[in-house]
Amino acid sequence: MDVEMATDAAPPAPTSAPTTAASTGSPGTLKHGEPRRRNRPALSCIQCRTRKIRCDRNEPCASCMKSKIVNCTYEEARRPKPRLWRLSPAPPASNHPELSPTSTDERAGVGSAFSFRDIALPAPPPPAASNPSGAGSNAAPLDKPPEPLSGVSPRSLPQAHHAEAGAGAGLGTPGSLGNTTALAERVRQLEQQLADALKRPGCGSPSSRSAHTALSPEHGSQYRPTRSNSWMDGEKLFPLVVNIAERIESDKSSDAYFLLQKCRDLGGTIQSTRTATSTPLQLGKTVPSRDTALRLVDAYFRTFESVYRILHRPTFWQAYEKYWENPSAADPAFVVQLQLCMAIGTCFQDDVVALRRLAAQWIYEAEVWLVSPVEKSLVSLAGLQVMCLLHLARETCGIEGDMAWITAGSLLRTAMYLGLHRDPDNLPDMSAFNAEMRRRVWASILEIMLQSSLDSGAPPLLTLSDFDTRPPSNYDDEQLAENAKFPSIPRPPNAFTQTTVQIALLRSFPVRLAIAQYVNHFNSPATFEETLKWNTELTNSCRALSATFQPFYDPAGILPKRLSLFQLRLAEHLVHRFFLALNHPWLWAAHNNPTYYFARKMCVETSLKLYRAIATGSPAGESGTASQTDDFTRLATCGYGAFRSVPTLAVLTICLELLWQVQEDRSFRQSMSIDHPLDRPAPPGSEGDVSSSVGMGIGSGAAPRQELLEAVKYSIGWASRRVRCGETNVKGYLLFSALLSQAQALQRGASDAEVERLVLHTIGEDLNHCLILLKEAAGRDPSFAASGGEPVRDRRASGWGLPWEPNNTNRTRGFNSIFNIHDAAFFVGT
């Protein structure tokens, strides 16, 4: 806070220098109005010199660490720059703080693999340095050097500074007149460029600039991160791992590259065997035995149908019994619904690997059925239910998951074409059954549309004024009969029904819709104050949701008609992920600026909550296995889409917080000279080093370090289980393990070179382990054995599109997106 106050305070009024005999023209003396040259360079940091205390000249220094001053900065040059204001007055730039000079570290980028600097997100301007020259009455304060100019490349700025310093040093020598003339001309050019920059629109302050706008010299201040450049966030957050990955990719003769290529080929082969064949549509030909089908359908109704109310249970089960009596006479719409329910249910089975190809076939048949020549006859409530189930099946099974926003838009338009956006009370008379089913399906479509918007980083393309459909009534399915003459009375709000969860989620829909529009709109004027406001609104919605669920939750699962653990965790997943979308763009700025600490705290706490949803049983054992599993844990282990990307983003946030704490601890130890690796030998992979901390003056962690360590360890086991269950992308497993190895090495006091060597060694060993896991998963896949296990080189068939391929539209869409490891360019996978 002291640093920020010093930044905002006005500079002290310059005092006039006394006129003495020595200052009236004596040779070698300082003339009136000239800047005094400092013969001895200032080696202390600006903050210590301002407070006139001793500085140990580290970065950050011990005094700043002890005083909890985050921005410990040093002067950019050893000598004060000449007062260029005398030559030509520059336009005032007080209204454009985003053009304030950046620090040396920011202009130089990331200097080392372990240097974390705020170079992308908005932050308050750096603290002003005190004026060391004691200038005269007409001198401008030196704590405001000339602003960086728009249109001037970063590489040209140091050259201009050197030219100015050289001209200033030669003012008293013969021939200095030519240098001064050239310097004056250069300054006029720079001031003209600055004046042109200040006239440009959109030059707001850092607080008014979008937090989702990544500043880049190549793109300017209006550049926004997209999926195509989300790897840049990974390079900024995890520079060491990205650097090692690039080394592995470039060194094709290394063992690590050989193992990585083997994993890619084997993963591509496994993925290609799950691709459905383009055979003629034959609905019902691939339905398994009745016992297997019942097990899969029960899994769907136990999980997703209890939250997304799409089907009417009694009606479905009646048609289910009729189907097994005479499968050839069944309604095609029901057969498609049955197959999609089974496809979703495969994610909750132990033999999920063997069922992957069947699920892909069922999804393919549903797609073909929807685009058949009789499409007009499919525009009905039953066809709309098929589209909802198809969207969920694609997401959970990982089939064309990148197209989720497109299919959700088609689903929304089809529903509006059928009039579901209008409340049944405004339509011609219809039965209570049809009215409630329309409200339920519309609520499910709203949730699907909202979640797909967050998955793709695209705007929702819907407002609250576009519909007037009321929420569903608190009915159990048994209360609704298709042929009932009189409607039944809904249950009271304090009674738990099969629609309670959907109604509770729909109450928070307006807030979450506004957040999705705020975060994903390409021209959103995101400010931290606005982010705090939506954090408050979302927190209130979460509290209301918790108050609704608390009376109905039975942890033991004994009482009938109670909230299940899967319902609770899926509802939390659908709502709490919005905290990450809100605060993650400010996470990098929060590392160096305590003003944004709330965003860092919210990101870490939300990530730990999302992590705990998949960490059933023991928090983290040596093998990273859980003592028991539940449906949501199975979904996070076998599912795709948001059920893979959201936990992955949460774990990456936890890893980043662990790294930051270890690095802050390491810097403090080094500044206090209390960390000597030779005096504290520890075997590689020691856990005690990471969990221990100095406990002196740090206090900036957003969560206990031991909890972060356990979360990372468990997540490595979770990523390993995903590969065993058919995941062909080993990127998450490699990254989690590498980051844990980096944190342990840093805490032990290893040098940068030693840390890099240890992480590279860890990746090499983990690649060998991943290859073994992929082979085990392939051995349990009957379709892989039927294909003969031939390597697939055509990655287009297996979804291995590279980000630099010209025909890859997957990574060039212009939507906002927070960093996702599965979209990163290093360790490319599916």
Side-chain angles (χ1 to χ4, degrees):
M1 292 300 294
D2 296 337
V3 178
E4 296 174 3
M5 291 175 64
T7 304
D8 299 334
T15 58
S16 59
T19 304
T20 60
S23 63
T24 57
S26 300
T29 60
L30 182 65
K31 295 184 179 181
H32 181 72
E34 282 190 0
R36 197 191 93 195
R37 293 182 192 157
R38 191 185 185 101
N39 296 325
R40 181 174 58 85
L43 301 180
S44 301
C45 69
I46 296 174
Q47 288 70 24
C48 288
R49 285 194 289 111
T50 303
R51 295 181 295 160
K52 297 182 179 179
I53 60 176
R54 185 179 182 84
C55 179
D56 60 0
R57 302 172 187 175
N58 290 324
E59 188 176 358
C61 67
S63 301
C64 290
M65 292 291 295
K66 186 176 181 180
S67 303
K68 298 183 179 179
I69 296 177
V70 179
N71 296 323
C72 179
T73 56
Y74 292 82
E75 281 191 343
E76 300 178 7
R78 291 181 177 273
R79 294 180 182 273
K81 300 177 178 60
R83 301 185 187 282
L84 304 180
W85 66 272
R86 286 183 173 183
L87 303 176
S88 178
S94 58
N95 295 330
H96 300 272
E98 78 278 12
L99 297 177
S100 60
T102 53
S103 65
T104 304
D105 295 319
E106 291 173 340
R107 288 199 303 269
V110 182
S112 65
F114 317 103
S115 176
F116 291 85
R117 293 289 179 186
D118 186 4
I119 59 175
L121 293 180
S130 59
N131 188 351
S133 61
S137 59
N138 297 327
L142 287 182
D143 54 354
K144 291 186 179 180
E147 309 284 355
L149 304 178
S150 175
V152 182
S153 64
R155 295 182 180 179
S156 65
L157 291 177
Q159 297 174 3
H161 290 172
H162 288 308
E164 296 165 4
L171 286 177
T173 61
S176 62
L177 182 60
N179 293 338
T180 306
T181 305
L183 181 61
E185 181 62 25
R186 175 59 177 164
V187 170
R188 290 191 187 96
Q189 295 176 3
L190 296 180
E191 289 175 348
Q192 182 60 38
Q193 293 175 359
L194 176 60
D196 295 340
L198 296 180
K199 295 177 182 178
R200 296 176 183 176
C203 295
S205 62
S207 62
S208 64
R209 187 188 302 140
S210 173
H212 314 282
T213 302
L215 302 182
S216 173
E218 293 80 12
H219 300 85
S221 61
Q222 299 302 320
Y223 176 69
R224 300 177 63 83
T226 63
R227 291 269 182 170
S228 60
N229 56 62
S230 61
W231 66 271
M232 295 175 62
D233 295 332
E235 186 179 17
K236 180 179 66 176
L237 299 176
F238 309 110
L240 174 65
V241 178
V242 174
N243 180 43
I244 291 178
E246 291 176 349
R247 287 176 51 189
I248 294 176
E249 294 281 357
S250 60
D251 187 7
K252 293 181 171 50
S253 62
S254 63
D255 294 339
Y257 181 84
F258 174 77
L259 292 173
L260 179 62
Q261 196 64 35
K262 293 283 289 183
C263 291
R264 285 175 172 174
D265 293 340
L266 183 56
T269 304
I270 296 173
Q271 190 74 9
S272 64
T273 58
R274 299 173 187 166
T275 305
T277 58
S278 56
T279 56
L281 181 62
Q282 296 179 344
L283 293 178
K285 297 299 182 181
T286 56
V287 174
S289 63
R290 186 167 185 174
D291 292 339
T292 303
L294 181 62
R295 176 165 53 93
L296 296 176
V297 174
D298 275 339
Y300 165 75
F301 276 95
R302 187 178 68 246
T303 56
F304 278 94
E305 184 59 36
S306 63
V307 178
Y308 291 92
R309 295 312 323 273
I310 300 173
L311 302 173
H312 184 243
R313 295 169 184 260
T315 303
F316 179 89
W317 288 114
Q318 289 175 9
Y320 180 83
E321 295 297 333
K322 291 181 180 179
Y323 170 81
W324 287 108
E325 293 174 1
N326 187 6
S328 59
D331 181 14
F334 171 77
V335 177
V336 176
Q337 291 178 2
L338 172 64
Q339 293 186 160
L340 290 175
C341 290
M342 292 189 296
I344 299 173
T346 57
C347 295
F348 305 95
Q349 309 303 316
D350 293 331
D351 54 345
V352 59
V353 176
L355 297 171
R356 292 285 190 190
R357 183 175 177 82
L358 269 179
Q361 184 68 27
W362 294 330
I363 292 173
Y364 165 75
E365 292 180 358
E367 292 173 342
V368 174
W369 183 78
L370 282 174
V371 298
S372 59
V374 291
E375 183 179 0
K376 285 189 176 181
S377 64
L378 303 179
V379 182
S380 61
L381 186 63
L384 209 58
Q385 291 171 323
V386 169
M387 296 178 71
C388 292
L389 294 172
L390 179 60
H391 181 93
L392 296 178
R394 280 172 168 171
E395 183 179 22
T396 55
C397 298
I399 306 296
E400 299 177 358
D402 288 339
M403 311 294 289
W405 185 72
I406 299 177
T407 58
S410 177
L411 174 61
L412 178 65
R413 288 189 296 273
T414 306
M416 298 182 76
Y417 178 82
L418 291 174
L420 267 69
H421 65 297
R422 300 304 310 277
D423 191 78
D425 293 344
N426 301 323
L427 301 175
D429 293 339
M430 64 177 62
S431 64
F433 172 84
N434 290 331
E436 284 303 312
M437 288 305 300
R438 290 170 68 92
R439 292 189 180 108
R440 289 182 179 184
V441 174
W442 176 252
S444 299
I445 292 173
L446 291 180
E447 191 65 44
I448 288 174
M449 179 273 305
L450 184 60
Q451 296 297 323
S452 66
S453 171
L454 217 59
D455 290 336
S456 62
L461 301 182
L462 182 75
T463 62
L464 296 177
S465 61
D466 293 333
F467 62 94
D468 61 0
T469 306
R470 293 190 292 107
S473 301
N474 199 28
Y475 281 114
D476 276 320
D477 285 5
E478 290 75 12
Q479 295 180 267
L480 298 173
E482 190 171 2
N483 300 322
K485 295 183 179 180
F486 302 100
S488 60
I489 301 175
R491 300 192 184 277
N494 58 353
F496 184 80
T497 66
Q498 295 166 334
T499 323
T500 298
V501 178
Q502 186 183 49
I503 297 173
L505 284 174
L506 199 57
R507 293 195 190 104
S508 66
F509 177 80
V511 174
R512 292 185 290 140
L513 177 64
I515 292 175
Q517 292 170 339
Y518 167 72
V519 170
N520 290 337
H521 196 279
F522 73 95
N523 199 24
S524 174
T527 64
F528 192 61
E529 292 76 13
E530 190 78 5
T531 301
L532 293 177
K533 185 196 79 171
W534 287 118
N535 269 295
T536 303
E537 296 290 336
L538 186 58
T539 301
N540 294 335
S541 298
C542 289
R543 289 173 179 169
L545 190 68
S546 178
T548 302
F549 288 160
Q550 187 173 5
F552 306 129
Y553 179 56
D554 177 26
I558 300 175
L559 300 177
K561 300 188 70 172
R562 286 292 186 270
L563 187 74
S564 67
L565 184 60
F566 179 87
Q567 289 175 309
L568 178 63
R569 287 182 170 173
L570 181 57
E572 290 179 344
H573 170 89
L574 297 177
V575 176
H576 288 157
R577 62 177 303 199
F578 283 82
F579 282 113
L580 282 182
L582 263 178
N583 297 284
H584 214 277
W586 305 94
L587 181 59
W588 180 246
H591 174 50
N592 291 326
N593 194 328
T595 304
Y596 307 113
Y597 179 78
F598 178 80
R600 175 178 176 180
K601 187 74 172 177
M602 288 301 299
C603 283
V604 175
E605 289 183 352
T606 304
S607 298
L608 287 173
K609 180 178 286 292
L610 293 172
Y611 146 76
R612 295 187 193 104
I614 65 174
T616 312
S618 59
E622 285 296 324
S623 59
T625 58
S627 60
Q628 60 181 358
T629 58
D630 61 274
D631 287 330
F632 192 82
T633 303
R634 288 179 180 271
L635 179 62
T637 305
C638 305
Y640 291 85
F643 306 108
R644 175 183 71 164
S645 61
V646 173
T648 300
L649 178 62
V651 175
L652 287 177
T653 306
I654 294 172
C655 292
L656 186 62
E657 175 65 22
L658 178 62
L659 273 179
W660 282 352
Q661 290 192 20
V662 170
Q663 287 167 341
E664 291 168 359
D665 195 2
R666 182 198 194 197
S667 300
F668 182 78
R669 289 174 184 268
Q670 290 178 347
S671 64
M672 300 298 293
S673 301
I674 60 176
D675 190 14
H676 300 283
L678 298 179
D679 298 337
R680 301 172 57 249
S686 175
E687 302 169 8
D689 287 337
V690 179
S691 59
S692 63
S693 61
V694 178
M696 297 172 58
I698 304 298
S700 60
R705 191 177 304 178
Q706 184 63 31
E707 186 176 6
L708 299 174
L709 175 64
E710 292 178 352
V712 176
K713 289 175 54 184
Y714 181 90
S715 301
I716 295 174
W718 168 69
S720 174
R721 291 193 297 275
R722 282 195 59 87
V723 178
R724 289 192 182 98
C725 292
E727 171 71 81
T728 58
N729 189 338
V730 300
K731 193 186 305 180
Y733 180 85
L734 295 175
L735 184 59
F736 300 159
S737 181
L739 293 176
L740 178 62
S741 175
Q742 179 185 358
Q744 291 175 338
L746 286 174
Q747 184 64 22
R748 291 198 306 270
S751 62
D752 291 356
E754 184 180 358
V755 172
E756 187 172 356
R757 181 183 59 80
L758 291 174
V759 173
L760 183 60
H761 177 72
T762 300
I763 292 178
E765 290 185 344
D766 291 338
L767 277 170
N768 191 26
H769 180 61
C770 289
L771 184 60
I772 296 175
L773 294 179
L774 286 173
K775 290 180 178 179
E776 292 177 356
R780 297 193 301 270
D781 191 347
S783 58
F784 178 84
S787 67
E790 291 295 329
V792 174
R793 297 293 179 180
D794 185 8
R795 294 182 180 176
R796 291 176 297 177
S798 59
W800 283 52
L802 301 181
W804 52 83
E805 291 177 352
N807 296 328
N808 186 5
T809 58
N810 247 4
R811 305 181 184 271
T812 57
R813 56 180 182 259
F815 297 148
N816 177 40
S817 176
I818 54 181
F819 176 71
N820 182 359
I821 182 60
H822 302 287
D823 289 329
F826 53 91
F827 299 143
V828 176
T830 57

